[in-house]
Amino acid sequence: MSDTKHNTEDYLRMYRQMVRIRTFEDNANQLYLSAKMPGLTHMYSGEEAVAVGICEALTDSDRITSTHRGHGHCVAKGAEFKAMFCELLGKEEGYCRGKGGSMHIADQSHGNLGANAIVGGSMGIATGSALRAKLQGAEDVTVCFFGDGATAQGLMYEVMNMAALWNLPVIYACENNGYSEYTKTEEIAAGSITARAEAFGIEAHQVDGQDVLGVNALMQDLVPRARKGEGPFFVELMTYRYHGHHVGDINREYYRAKDEEQDWKENRDPIIRMRAWLVEQGIASEDEIEAMNSEIREDAAAAVDYALKAPYPDTREVDMHVYTDIAHACA
Amino acid sequence: MSDTKHNTEDYLRMYRQMVRIRTFEDNANQLYLSAKMPGLTHMYSGEEAVAVGICEALTDSDRITSTHRGHGHCVAKGAEFKAMFCELLGKEEGYCRGKGGSMHIADQSHGNLGANAIVGGSMGIATGSALRAKLQGAEDVTVCFFGDGATAQGLMYEVMNMAALWNLPVIYACENNGYSEYTKTEEIAAGSITARAEAFGIEAHQVDGQDVLGVNALMQDLVPRARKGEGPFFVELMTYRYHGHHVGDINREYYRAKDEEQDWKENRDPIIRMRAWLVEQGIASEDEIEAMNSEIREDAAAAVDYALKAPYPDTREVDMHVYTDIAHACA
Amino acid sequence: MREITLSKAVNEALAEEMRRDETVFIIGEDVAEAGTPFKVLSGLVEEFGTDRVLDTPISEPGFMGIAVGAAMTGARPVVDLMFGDFLFLIMDQLCNQAAKSYYMSGGKLNVPLVLRTNLGATRRSAAQHSQSLHALVAHIPGLKVAMPSSAYEAKGLMKTAIRDDNPVVIFEDKLMYNDKAPVPEEEFLIPFGQANIKREGRDVTLIGTSSMVQVCEAAAETLAAEGISAEVIDPRTIVPLDEATLLASAKKTSRVIVVDEGHQSFGVTGEIASRINEKAFYHLDAPVLRMGAMDVPVPFSPALEDITVPTPEGVAEAARRLMSGEMIHAA
Amino acid sequence: MREITLSKAVNEALAEEMRRDETVFIIGEDVAEAGTPFKVLSGLVEEFGTDRVLDTPISEPGFMGIAVGAAMTGARPVVDLMFGDFLFLIMDQLCNQAAKSYYMSGGKLNVPLVLRTNLGATRRSAAQHSQSLHALVAHIPGLKVAMPSSAYEAKGLMKTAIRDDNPVVIFEDKLMYNDKAPVPEEEFLIPFGQANIKREGRDVTLIGTSSMVQVCEAAAETLAAEGISAEVIDPRTIVPLDEATLLASAKKTSRVIVVDEGHQSFGVTGEIASRINEKAFYHLDAPVLRMGAMDVPVPFSPALEDITVPTPEGVAEAARRLMSGEMIHAA
Ligand SMILES: Cc1ncc(C[n+]2csc(CCOP(=O)(O)OP(=O)(O)O)c2C)c(N)n1
Ligand SMILES: Cc1ncc(C[n+]2csc(CCOP(=O)(O)OP(=O)(O)O)c2C)c(N)n1
Ligand SMILES: [Mg+2]
Ligand SMILES: [Mg+2]
């Protein structure tokens, strides 16, 4: 935070990316509520500082793996609204040609190796990407995003062990939003999450996931160290999801108090915090910020419109992409 | 060790059980070398103090789960030679009617829930047995035996987490014999094994696995505490296997020095140590011990003889015991 | 007779069996207060408490293993696996442990557990939340496999499953949870291995599993209007399979179509078709036709997903082809 | 032509491909200095170093996941899974991740990896080390499945598999590692989806996979002596399956037996038999017969194990029954 003047652009971009995520989610939720989106989806709103703080420390050749709650990672790693909304609606122009949908969304060209509908399912993939980097002498780092709930999957311990033994350039980013589905983290996680990583000899950090600058500062330290072979690292980011587990989880007082939600939204919102800081530091005026916000809103609205009108994939695509070399798997 | 006089019988039984295991293994190895045993088998020789020190702290209603290296656990938990050798040879009178063999051997009536040929495969089973005990208000404790290599299986972390959350009466007994197959433990285990358990909030101990009295003393403390709901516990027992990974692993200098083997055999053998202590404490004379040893040797020889002559199961048994209620699964 | 939803039917079956037998308990993710994401278990924790309706961390292999151990030692766990797709995570505990324990122990250690899970596409849940994987489980000796086709079967088969002394896997169709059917108030069980002739017919036999029974019934309606009399049979359990009923119908109609929602290749349709071909060959006027789901991962896009599964129109069309003798030229 | 063992053939294939393509590496347990328990990989680590022949901890799901990630990002891992039975541990990474990535990403993220594993009973290894689980893998779209029947196929198919841009699973028969066959010194590849007519015949077609090809050839010898001319076909890959060659033979001989070492029910024999029944029905003089392994867990006892798998005598006997027309009465 010392380089305020020099990093003006970076700060504005972080803010912008967080607002883009929030705006994307607001639209996705609206599409669900108005029955225009097939299926369900998991909102990232509230957790923006995590994806943005991390991805802003990465280059395009760095990789990430994402989760069922993956829109935020996707935007933060460089995706565009149009192809994202198209994917959400199952349209041909979606990043996955409509075959993936919300739970598999990814802008693969920016190093996103895919959202994953298996909780913890991407931990091996991220670690393998890092192994490939090491074996091939590439300099990229891979960040593995996952939730607190995913720490219950044994796969995590298997791959952390190998990452530690082999000093792989991977950073495990645990987004601890206090819940997995309808259950509080303390009911499903014994002991300490960071201690689990430390037991494998992995340097672990816990950080406020609502503070984008704090998250980014930590990552600006860890990413280059990982590139140099000092990894792996483990980061637990304390955060919160504003919506229910998915868009359909509306009456949730039986597991989570409204007061708690309100407290996080009002007092710890990452966007509000960053906005106040930008203004306070004189990096942007309220007007400039409002202008940015509306531009993003318009962008999103246009992309939604576009996606709603975009065509579905041709039905002949149904058995394409099963194999790389067999045009139609069922022919 | 203060109660030397009162516990004479216990001490003698511990010694006896260790010798029984060693003798069983010597015979099994011989059966292999003389091509009388089908398949391969994994010798427990060298690790006797672990199984015996632990099982002597258990009652018949306590449960254990065992491993591919399971003969020692089986003997220690109360099995007889005859049915064991019959099982090893695939005979009808084996504990598993010849269907299990060495890797699934178990005297089920003494609470042995089975050897297991999947490394780490029994960790859930042991934890589930403990859950059942808790749910039903039973007082039994379950001990889960597994090797250092098995700590690489994610399942272990999943079930330790649940055992810790639910305070289950289970004791995880990690037999760290320095190797998994042909690989040294330090090459496959990052960080610290006990710290991994501690990270889940589980009390963990490391103990000399060649000292049967030390192992037993620790278990005499932990087992009653587990019964009272103070579990789970984790114990890492430092031990050594004298033979190769299995009976066929004979030329093993490429991964393990002969000197190292010799050192363990000569200077840390659990049976030699216990024998010296028994004599020194005046609990048994050399002669008495020799007599005990030869009695065990004769027992084993007779059992081998019996098993060699015993009949194979009738071929009609091949599709029995697939289901409890379908006499012949393929009929 | 009163009509209740499939969801309610399962709930009733569980409640009745839990009242009858104290050793029955439920274990899985968000099964307690949340009553599962599909709300199938709502109310059970209120009646039976958190000791018998156990919320777990997201550790499918772990809690499956725990269930095996609990079942081996005197409890009757009902495991709740939220999506059938997660079977891939628990295959070792299910297929290497639960399925084989009774056999490997020579008839000593049986595993009376029920695994409740689901199948079914067209819910817009994409490739990792839409699979119908019952064929995999049916391939493994030692497991029984039930596939209820309505609320009635869901209740009767669940009760039978819980009383069965073997591991049983029940696949509910997640699209059918809200479908109602007449279900008696009085207690009833449906024996395993007894197919149900849903509709009698002369010209063609339609064998359907799970929701495909409805598809076959709808096809039969259409065909009836055209003067083609279709017999519809629901095997109800595919292991054990009521071959006799299927063969009798095949011999009567001489034409058979097998409809199942699993992938067609190497799946259920091949098994059933083969048995009929083998044992009713000389009675058949045409080859047994198979209609499974397409051999493609389930796509998200509604435009694609809907064409991957058998439909009433498709089945009716196939029946017409069979009747027209057109097959002769194809084969 | 020189004759080499199947083991040596695999070793050569790997060495050649690793020389040709730097991105190929091997990952698995005890693959380096130990060269696997079956010694198939002996010498490779000496040539390629521990960076390309990677020893892992006993973490099958972990290293399978790592391979997926490495493959997605530009490497070509060959995963060594020590026993086919351990497939149950890696199904999620194999079937939910590797198999579906290309499809879910709309053709963007392919996974060029090879999973080397084995099948085959009668090694006295009991139920958890003797399974032939290829049918499970074949059921999942997105995976290719190769089943070499001799050293020649083992080499040619392995080389093709490594160059394939899709995930390929190769099942070697662990009983055949020391079997020799003529294998050219010059480089060759065997394309996927091309069956091999091992022996031409007129009267009956014997389709065998993996070691069952030998069984069929032996049966054909016996039958020839009796004046029955059997055609023996090896599909070589079951996904993709060379239907055309199988159908042509079926139409020529009018009688078919399918022999496979997987469990018979819900397995490979049902699929192949059904396809032939469907598409060559009016050419068949008798139903297609199936001979799989018995539907029982593999028993340890030699007296039982040997009768669980198809034998040349059994196949010859079935062929005689087919020829005699006896089937008419059975069906
Ligand atoms: C293997 C697996 N088990 C269960 C689920 C169902 N499920 C989807 S999200 C979720 C909770 C995940 O919690 P967490 O990892 O904390 O992520 P969050 O949703 O809080 O972002 C569960 C149980 C799943 N998708 N995959
Ligand atoms: C899941 C699984 N992976 C691999 C193997 C092959 N295997 C058998 S024993 C063994 C080593 C086990 O090491 P450890 O747990 O330390 O036990 P030890 O043999 O030293 O007693 C391996 C890799 C197996 N049986 N199961
Ligand atoms: Mg969470
Ligand atoms: Mg060991």
Side-chain angles (χ1 to χ4, degrees):
Chain A
M1 300 197 197
S2 47
D3 281 341
T4 315
K5 306 244 165 55
H6 300 94
N7 296 328
T8 301
E9 264 181 43
D10 294 348
Y11 296 137
L12 287 173
R13 201 175 50 242
M14 283 191 229
Y15 177 78
R16 198 186 148 74
Q17 286 291 64
M18 291 201 293
V19 176
R20 287 185 72 233
I21 294 173
R22 181 75 54 91
T23 309
F24 183 88
E25 294 300 49
D26 287 344
N27 279 277
N29 192 37
Q30 214 40 55
L31 283 168
Y32 169 78
L33 294 174
S34 56
K36 288 182 183 142
M37 196 193 65
L40 293 168
T41 182
H42 309 81
M43 302 279 91
Y44 198 71
S45 312
E47 309 191 15
E48 293 87 350
V50 174
V52 172
I54 290 176
C55 290
E56 285 296 315
L58 302 177
T59 67
D60 269 5
S61 55
D62 291 323
R63 309 304 215 287
I64 65 164
T65 61
S66 168
T67 68
H68 59 284
R69 197 176 300 288
H71 306 164
H73 313 132
C74 194
V75 170
K77 197 69 176 65
E80 293 302 330
F81 281 168
K82 261 192 199 170
M84 281 187 71
F85 281 117
C86 279
E87 192 56 42
L88 230 57
L89 298 179
K91 302 301 180 73
E92 185 186 322
E93 286 176 64
Y95 278 115
C96 311
R97 301 192 69 78
K99 279 182 168 143
S102 166
M103 287 207 289
H104 304 291
I105 200 165
D107 173 6
Q108 302 88 355
S109 68
H110 282 91
N112 186 342
L113 300 179
N116 208 306
I118 301 297
V119 167
S122 71
M123 288 167 166
I125 296 172
T127 311
S129 167
L131 173 64
R132 178 266 323 146
K134 185 184 170 186
L135 294 181
Q136 303 189 348
E139 299 232 305
D140 60 284
V141 167
T142 305
V143 174
C144 178
F145 287 100
F146 56 95
D148 48 289
T151 63
Q153 287 283 348
L155 183 64
M156 175 166 127
Y157 305 91
E158 299 193 0
V159 299
M160 284 201 312
N161 186 33
M162 287 183 268
L165 286 166
W166 303 336
N167 282 109
L168 300 184
V170 57
I171 299 175
Y172 299 101
C174 177
E175 305 180 296
N176 188 342
N177 59 12
Y179 294 85
S180 51
E181 282 194 358
Y182 319 111
T183 302
K184 286 195 202 303
T185 307
E186 55 262 37
E187 291 169 30
I188 55 96
S192 144
I193 288 177
T194 48
R196 298 185 194 173
E198 282 161 352
F200 288 88
I202 297 178
E203 182 181 317
H205 300 264
Q206 198 188 58
V207 62
D208 178 359
Q210 305 310 85
D211 171 15
V212 71
L213 295 175
V215 171
N216 187 252
L218 176 62
M219 293 301 287
Q220 295 289 2
D221 173 42
L222 299 183
V223 172
R225 286 177 58 203
R227 275 195 221 297
K228 280 187 284 178
E230 294 176 27
F233 299 106
F234 189 100
V235 183
E236 183 182 8
L237 303 113
M238 309 311 283
T239 184
Y240 200 76
R241 61 164 157 80
Y242 289 172
H243 291 258
H245 169 58
H246 54 59
V247 286
D249 172 26
I250 290 172
N251 299 319
R252 51 185 179 268
E253 277 175 273
Y254 72 94
Y255 72 88
R256 193 165 96 167
K258 282 217 166 127
D259 281 359
E260 181 187 295
E261 296 189 1
Q262 202 177 334
D263 178 45
W264 280 85
K265 286 185 194 173
E266 287 176 6
N267 305 319
R268 308 182 60 174
D269 184 74
I271 296 178
I272 297 177
R273 276 167 75 171
M274 178 71 172
R275 176 180 176 145
W277 185 83
L278 287 173
V279 172
E280 183 195 299
Q281 298 285 320
I283 298 172
S285 68
E286 289 284 354
D287 283 354
E288 283 163 343
I289 288 177
E290 272 309 323
M292 203 190 307
N293 290 357
S294 18
E295 185 204 314
I296 293 170
R297 266 197 300 275
E298 279 158 36
D299 250 29
V304 167
D305 240 36
Y306 183 89
L308 282 168
K309 290 180 195 133
Y312 283 112
D314 190 287
T315 53
R316 277 171 309 180
E317 288 215 14
V318 69
D319 65 347
M320 288 172 64
H321 306 128
V322 180
Y323 300 98
T324 60
D325 52 350
I326 301 175
H328 290 280
C330 301
Chain B
M1 301 201 197
S2 49
D3 281 342
T4 315
K5 306 244 166 56
H6 299 95
N7 296 329
T8 301
E9 265 181 44
D10 294 349
Y11 297 137
L12 287 173
R13 203 176 47 243
M14 282 192 229
Y15 177 79
R16 198 185 148 74
Q17 287 290 66
M18 290 201 294
V19 175
R20 289 185 71 233
I21 294 173
R22 181 76 54 91
T23 309
F24 183 89
E25 295 299 50
D26 288 344
N27 279 278
N29 193 36
Q30 215 39 56
L31 283 168
Y32 169 78
L33 293 174
S34 56
K36 288 182 185 144
M37 196 193 64
L40 293 167
T41 182
H42 308 81
M43 302 279 91
Y44 198 72
S45 313
E47 309 191 14
E48 293 88 349
V50 174
V52 173
I54 290 176
C55 291
E56 285 296 316
L58 302 177
T59 68
D60 269 6
S61 55
D62 291 323
R63 310 303 217 287
I64 64 164
T65 61
S66 169
T67 68
H68 58 285
R69 197 176 301 289
H71 306 166
H73 314 131
C74 193
V75 171
K77 197 68 179 64
E80 292 303 330
F81 281 168
K82 262 194 201 169
M84 281 187 72
F85 281 117
C86 280
E87 191 57 40
L88 231 55
L89 299 180
K91 302 301 179 74
E92 184 187 322
E93 286 178 64
Y95 277 116
C96 311
R97 301 190 70 78
K99 281 182 166 142
S102 166
M103 287 208 288
H104 305 290
I105 200 165
D107 172 7
Q108 302 87 357
S109 68
H110 282 92
N112 186 342
L113 300 179
N116 208 307
I118 301 296
V119 167
S122 71
M123 289 168 166
I125 295 172
T127 310
S129 167
L131 173 64
R132 178 264 324 145
K134 185 184 172 185
L135 294 182
Q136 302 188 350
E139 298 231 307
D140 60 283
V141 168
T142 304
V143 174
C144 177
F145 287 100
F146 57 93
D148 48 289
T151 62
Q153 287 284 349
L155 183 64
M156 174 167 128
Y157 304 91
E158 298 193 0
V159 299
M160 286 201 310
N161 186 33
M162 286 183 268
L165 287 167
W166 302 337
N167 283 107
L168 300 184
V170 56
I171 299 176
Y172 299 101
C174 177
E175 305 180 297
N176 188 342
N177 60 9
Y179 295 85
S180 51
E181 282 193 357
Y182 319 111
T183 302
K184 286 195 202 304
T185 307
E186 55 262 37
E187 291 169 31
I188 55 96
S192 144
I193 289 176
T194 48
R196 298 184 195 174
E198 282 162 351
F200 289 88
I202 297 178
E203 183 180 316
H205 300 264
Q206 199 187 58
V207 63
D208 178 359
Q210 306 310 85
D211 171 14
V212 71
L213 296 175
V215 172
N216 188 253
L218 176 61
M219 293 301 288
Q220 296 289 2
D221 173 42
L222 299 183
V223 172
R225 286 177 57 202
R227 277 196 221 295
K228 279 187 284 181
E230 294 176 26
F233 299 106
F234 189 100
V235 184
E236 182 181 7
L237 303 112
M238 309 312 283
T239 184
Y240 200 75
R241 60 163 157 81
Y242 290 171
H243 291 258
H245 169 57
H246 54 60
V247 285
D249 172 26
I250 290 172
N251 300 319
R252 51 184 179 268
E253 277 175 272
Y254 73 93
Y255 72 87
R256 193 165 94 167
K258 282 215 166 129
D259 281 0
E260 181 187 297
E261 296 189 2
Q262 204 177 331
D263 178 44
W264 280 85
K265 285 185 196 173
E266 288 176 6
N267 304 319
R268 308 182 61 174
D269 184 74
I271 296 179
I272 297 177
R273 276 167 74 169
M274 178 72 172
R275 176 180 175 145
W277 184 82
L278 287 174
V279 174
E280 182 195 299
Q281 297 285 320
I283 297 172
S285 69
E286 288 285 355
D287 284 353
E288 283 164 338
I289 287 178
E290 272 310 323
M292 203 190 307
N293 290 357
S294 16
E295 185 205 315
I296 293 170
R297 267 196 299 273
E298 279 158 34
D299 250 30
V304 167
D305 241 35
Y306 183 91
L308 283 167
K309 291 179 196 133
Y312 284 111
D314 190 287
T315 53
R316 278 171 308 180
E317 288 215 15
V318 68
D319 65 347
M320 287 172 63
H321 306 129
V322 181
Y323 300 98
T324 60
D325 51 351
I326 301 175
H328 290 280
C330 301
Chain C
M1 204 185 294
R2 67 174 184 152
E3 301 215 329
I4 60 174
T5 62
L6 193 146
S7 172
K8 173 82 176 132
V10 173
N11 190 298
E12 278 189 8
L14 288 164
E16 287 174 19
E17 294 304 303
M18 289 175 82
R19 278 177 216 130
R20 192 187 57 80
D21 181 348
E22 281 199 339
T23 67
V24 178
F25 71 93
I26 298 172
I27 184 166
E29 291 155 20
D30 279 321
V31 291
E33 288 78 13
T36 79
F38 295 104
K39 303 295 167 203
V40 176
L41 305 186
S42 296
L44 294 181
V45 73
E46 284 75 9
E47 178 172 353
F48 299 102
T50 50
D51 260 13
R52 294 185 66 195
V53 187
L54 258 95
D55 269 350
T56 65
I58 312 174
S59 304
E60 287 84 1
F63 64 75
M64 182 66 207
I66 285 176
V68 176
M72 255 185 202
T73 57
R76 291 188 172 265
V78 177
V79 178
D80 189 289
L81 188 71
M82 201 183 292
F83 283 85
D85 312 68
F86 308 160
L87 271 169
F88 287 132
L89 286 159
I90 63 164
M91 288 297 270
D92 178 61
Q93 291 299 314
L94 180 67
C95 301
N96 274 334
Q97 311 295 346
K100 297 181 171 45
S101 170
Y102 189 62
Y103 191 83
M104 294 189 306
S105 67
K108 305 254 177 74
L109 288 170
N110 67 313
V111 182
L113 68 78
V114 177
L115 174 64
R116 264 194 71 224
T117 191
N118 52 39
L119 56 70
T122 69
R123 200 173 156 267
R124 317 307 177 214
S125 306
Q128 295 173 337
H129 276 63
S130 307
Q131 293 168 86
S132 300
L133 298 174
H134 45 292
L136 301 189
V137 178
H139 186 53
I140 305 304
L143 302 174
K144 297 187 179 179
V145 184
M147 305 188 66
S149 61
S150 83
Y152 176 76
E153 277 80 16
K155 182 165 184 183
L157 293 171
M158 177 61 77
K159 285 173 67 85
T160 304
I162 292 174
R163 298 186 193 187
D164 199 294
D165 283 333
N166 302 283
V168 178
V169 186
I170 302 202
F171 288 88
E172 297 159 8
D173 186 304
K174 61 178 102 68
L175 279 301
M176 285 172 56
Y177 281 128
N178 294 320
D179 290 3
K180 290 191 170 186
V183 176
E185 304 263 7
E186 317 76 67
E187 163 150 289
F188 69 100
L189 286 90
I190 299 178
F192 284 2
Q194 286 193 12
N196 183 24
I197 303 178
K198 292 286 284 187
R199 177 187 181 115
E200 302 222 13
R202 281 182 323 274
D203 301 327
V204 58
T205 300
L206 309 178
I207 300 171
T209 59
S210 180
S211 59
M212 294 300 111
V213 175
Q214 289 182 10
V215 166
C216 291
E217 286 184 293
E221 273 308 312
T222 308
L223 292 167
E226 301 168 19
I228 299 176
S229 161
E231 180 144 306
V232 176
I233 306 189
D234 171 11
R236 297 204 286 209
T237 54
I238 56 170
V239 181
L241 183 68
D242 180 1
E243 230 180 61
T245 300
L246 304 184
L247 291 176
S249 178
K251 290 180 183 176
K252 178 172 77 170
T253 64
S254 310
R255 296 177 194 86
V256 182
I257 304 176
V258 188
V259 192
D260 177 79
E261 204 179 333
H263 295 301
Q264 177 164 314
S265 288
F266 302 93
V268 166
T269 59
E271 180 62 24
I272 296 181
S274 292
R275 295 213 198 174
I276 293 171
N277 274 314
E278 269 162 40
K279 296 181 183 166
F281 184 75
Y282 297 98
H283 299 265
L284 295 176
D285 285 348
V288 178
L289 289 191
R290 305 187 291 150
M291 303 186 72
M294 271 185 157
D295 291 326
V296 305
V298 179
F300 166 71
S301 184
L304 303 179
E305 186 178 28
D306 287 341
I307 59 178
T308 64
V309 294
T311 57
E313 302 70 47
V315 174
E317 186 47 35
R320 279 181 215 113
R321 267 167 52 221
L322 273 187
M323 295 303 297
S324 74
E326 180 195 315
M327 296 301 303
I328 301 181
H329 311 293
Chain D
M1 205 186 295
R2 67 173 183 155
E3 300 215 331
I4 60 174
T5 62
L6 193 146
S7 173
K8 173 81 175 133
V10 172
N11 190 297
E12 278 188 7
L14 288 165
E16 288 174 19
E17 293 304 303
M18 288 175 81
R19 278 177 215 130
R20 192 187 55 81
D21 181 348
E22 281 199 338
T23 67
V24 178
F25 71 93
I26 297 173
I27 184 166
E29 291 155 20
D30 278 322
V31 290
E33 288 77 12
T36 80
F38 294 103
K39 303 296 168 203
V40 177
L41 305 186
S42 295
L44 293 182
V45 74
E46 284 76 11
E47 178 172 354
F48 299 101
T50 50
D51 260 12
R52 294 184 67 194
V53 187
L54 258 97
D55 269 350
T56 65
I58 312 175
S59 305
E60 287 82 2
F63 65 74
M64 182 65 206
I66 285 176
V68 177
M72 254 184 202
T73 56
R76 290 187 173 266
V78 177
V79 178
D80 189 289
L81 188 71
M82 200 184 293
F83 283 85
D85 312 67
F86 307 160
L87 270 170
F88 286 132
L89 285 159
I90 62 163
M91 289 297 269
D92 178 61
Q93 291 301 314
L94 180 65
C95 302
N96 274 335
Q97 311 296 346
K100 296 179 172 46
S101 170
Y102 190 61
Y103 191 84
M104 295 190 305
S105 66
K108 305 253 177 75
L109 289 170
N110 66 314
V111 183
L113 67 79
V114 177
L115 175 63
R116 262 195 72 225
T117 191
N118 52 38
L119 56 70
T122 69
R123 201 173 155 266
R124 319 305 176 214
S125 307
Q128 295 173 337
H129 277 63
S130 307
Q131 294 169 86
S132 301
L133 298 174
H134 45 292
L136 301 189
V137 178
H139 185 52
I140 305 304
L143 303 175
K144 296 186 179 180
V145 184
M147 305 189 65
S149 60
S150 83
Y152 176 76
E153 276 81 17
K155 181 163 183 185
L157 293 171
M158 176 61 77
K159 285 171 67 85
T160 305
I162 292 174
R163 299 185 194 188
D164 199 294
D165 283 334
N166 302 283
V168 178
V169 186
I170 300 201
F171 288 88
E172 296 159 9
D173 187 304
K174 61 176 102 67
L175 278 300
M176 286 172 56
Y177 281 128
N178 295 320
D179 290 2
K180 289 191 172 185
V183 176
E185 303 264 7
E186 318 76 66
E187 162 149 289
F188 69 100
L189 285 90
I190 299 178
F192 284 1
Q194 286 193 13
N196 184 24
I197 302 179
K198 292 286 283 187
R199 177 186 180 116
E200 302 221 14
R202 279 181 326 272
D203 300 328
V204 57
T205 301
L206 308 179
I207 301 170
T209 59
S210 180
S211 58
M212 294 300 111
V213 175
Q214 288 182 9
V215 167
C216 290
E217 286 183 295
E221 272 310 311
T222 308
L223 293 167
E226 300 167 22
I228 300 176
S229 160
E231 179 145 306
V232 176
I233 306 188
D234 171 10
R236 297 203 288 206
T237 55
I238 56 171
V239 180
L241 184 67
D242 181 0
E243 230 180 61
T245 301
L246 305 184
L247 291 176
S249 179
K251 290 180 183 177
K252 178 173 75 171
T253 64
S254 308
R255 296 176 193 84
V256 182
I257 304 177
V258 188
V259 192
D260 177 79
E261 203 178 332
H263 296 301
Q264 177 164 313
S265 289
F266 302 93
V268 167
T269 60
E271 181 62 24
I272 296 181
S274 291
R275 293 212 199 174
I276 294 171
N277 274 315
E278 270 161 39
K279 297 182 182 165
F281 184 75
Y282 296 98
H283 300 264
L284 296 176
D285 284 347
V288 178
L289 289 191
R290 304 188 292 150
M291 303 187 71
M294 271 187 158
D295 291 325
V296 306
V298 179
F300 167 71
S301 185
L304 303 180
E305 187 179 26
D306 288 342
I307 59 177
T308 64
V309 293
T311 57
E313 302 72 47
V315 174
E317 185 47 36
R320 281 181 215 114
R321 266 168 52 221
L322 272 187
M323 294 304 297
S324 74
E326 178 196 317
M327 295 302 302
I328 299 181
H329 310 293

